[in-house]
Structure formats: structure tokens, C-alpha cells
Amino acid sequence: DAMVIQNPRYQVTQFGKPVTLSCSQTLNHNVMYWYQQKSSQAPKLLFHYYDKDFNNEADTPDNFQSRRPNTSFCFLDIRSPGLGDAAMYLCATSRPTSGGYSYNEQFFGPGTRLTVL
Amino acid sequence: GQNIDQPTEMTATEGAIVQINCTYQTSGFNGLFWYQQHAGEAPTFLSYNVLDGLEEKGRFSSFLSRSKGYSYLLLKELQMKDSASYLCAVVDSNYQLIWGAGTKLIIKP
């Protein structure tokens, strides 16, 4: 089945220790997103890729970086995790219809829950 | 600024009907999504409305009024497994999804 996969599902890291979360997709979608979601809050978009074009949200801290080496894979790097970065990190994909993002249904992976000790 | 408003929490009884409202103020409008999210899991797609009116899909229906900036999700014949958060999200003029904080629905026997 075509899907969005995130690894690991649960990640524990120490304060200040770099961590990388991974996402892969078999949907062949152009667009990949990284969201941060804290308990009882809306998902917060960190950045997204349209093919290889990287789009960073204005309020995404520099501590968060991303790489997309190919269509299928996207990585979220947190360079120096702080206690406030503990959250669920959601990867999503979408395929723009002709003419742009006019539909933009997003397909989500299961998420990675990050704990910072 | 852009804003999506939903009630924080609602409670309903198994077998009953519940309506979850969403109002929005966004820069442009290119459709509205409802997603279901169980605790600790990713959001899953429920519905998409871009034209005014009611879209029915089994036990779930979604309504949109663009002139009022308003949508609702109607859940019928509630089951315990419907206990989840329901997120309203609007596609703005830049084709970005603007998310509400979600409504936590608690189903009681």
C-alpha cells in the first residue's frame, strides 16, 4: 500500500544532543511537510518542500533544519534540542493538482514522538 | 491575521448525534478540511468542502458556508471509537493549510 512512513515512532534524546527524524513516502508526491504538534494544539508547519524547493516558515527556529535528498525521503534535523522541542513531529505529503496546490489534501505519517531529557 | 476557531472540547453519548463547529477568518479560501486525530496518532482525512452545502459520507457529514466563514462536522450514531480530536483546516490564498487547534470529542456510554 502507498503510504507515508516515519522512523522512529518514539525518539528520546538528551538536551542539546542533535537528533534526526526521518520520513519516507511511496506516494510519489511532490510536496513534503514537517509539522510540530504539542498536546492539544494545532499542528504547526515548520517547513515544506515542493520538489527540491525548500520553503521555511518565518517563525521556524534556526535549530530546525531539513533535507530532502530525493522525492521519497525527507529528514528533520534538530541541532540542539531543548526541553521545549518535546513534541509530536508529523510528516505529510501532498500532490498538487494541475495549476498549483488547488486541492492540497495532505497524507500524514504516524508521527515521531520526541522526548528531550 | 488568520484564525480558525473551534470549541476545545465536547461530550456526547454513544448512539447520539453531535455537531462540531468551525469558524474561520483567512486570507483567501481554497477549501476546508476536517481531519480526525486519535490521541498519539497522526491526523486522518475525513472530508473536504470547497463549495457551499452539505457533503455526506456515511455517518459523517460536513457543511460549508463561505459567506459566513463557517463549517460544521456532523457525526451520527456515535460510537466509542469516535472519541478523538477533530481538526478543521482551511486552505488559504497561498494554498497553505491553516489549522484549528482541534475539538476533543468525548463519547460516553
Side-chain angles (χ1 to χ4, degrees):
Chain A
D1 285 342
M3 56 198 309
V4 182
I5 302 161
Q6 289 188 247
N7 284 306
R9 294 290 309 276
Y10 300 90
Q11 175 73 57
V12 180
T13 191
Q14 293 188 337
F15 183 93
K17 185 175 180 182
V19 65
T20 295
L21 310 182
S22 72
C23 177
S24 63
Q25 54 130 339
T26 61
L27 297 162
N28 204 31
H29 283 173
N30 301 79
V31 192
M32 295 187 77
Y33 306 82
W34 279 105
Y35 287 93
Q36 180 194 65
Q37 187 179 27
K38 298 186 177 180
S39 181
S40 301
Q41 295 184 20
K44 179 182 183 298
L45 182 64
L46 296 173
F47 21 61
H48 73 279
Y49 279 91
Y50 189 147
D51 294 324
K52 292 190 174 183
D53 291 335
F54 177 70
N55 298 271
N56 197 32
E57 293 301 299
D59 57 353
T60 298
D62 292 341
N63 197 27
F64 291 86
Q65 303 287 319
S66 185
R67 296 169 283 136
R68 189 179 186 186
N70 54 52
T71 300
S72 301
F73 285 88
C74 195
F75 300 98
L76 170 62
D77 300 308
I78 308 177
R79 294 195 291 192
S80 182
L83 297 178
D85 297 328
M88 174 78 87
Y89 289 88
L90 297 165
C91 174
T93 71
S94 71
R95 184 185 63 195
T97 59
S98 60
Y101 293 77
S102 57
Y103 186 71
N104 205 23
E105 178 186 348
Q106 295 184 14
F107 298 81
F108 286 85
T112 295
R113 181 163 295 283
L114 178 67
T115 301
V116 182
L117 300 177
Chain B
Q2 311 211 80
N3 198 45
I4 310 280
D5 284 317
Q6 310 178 230
T8 304
E9 188 174 294
M10 299 181 71
T11 302
T13 304
E14 191 177 14
I17 299 173
V18 72
Q19 178 175 310
I20 302 174
N21 295 325
C22 171
T23 58
Y24 61 89
Q25 292 120 12
T26 57
S27 57
F29 178 85
N30 284 296
L32 184 146
F33 288 91
W34 284 97
Y35 280 84
Q36 180 190 59
Q37 187 176 27
H38 285 99
E41 298 182 11
T44 56
F45 170 84
L46 288 178
S47 67
Y48 173 73
N49 293 69
V50 68
L51 298 176
D52 291 348
L54 187 69
E55 296 272 347
E56 296 187 76
K57 191 186 293 186
R59 293 190 298 115
F60 293 6
S61 302
S62 56
F63 172 83
L64 175 67
S65 169
R66 288 171 295 171
S67 62
K68 294 182 180 177
Y70 168 69
S71 173
Y72 67 73
L73 181 69
L74 190 71
L75 293 77
K76 302 177 185 176
E77 301 169 16
L78 286 169
Q79 302 174 11
M80 297 303 292
K81 67 179 183 180
D82 298 329
S83 292
S85 287
Y86 292 85
L87 296 134
C88 173
V90 172
V91 185
D92 72 4
S93 57
N94 293 318
Y95 298 101
Q96 296 297 318
L97 268 186
I98 310 301
W99 292 85
T103 298
K104 183 178 180 181
L105 179 63
I106 299 167
I107 309 295
K108 294 186 175 179

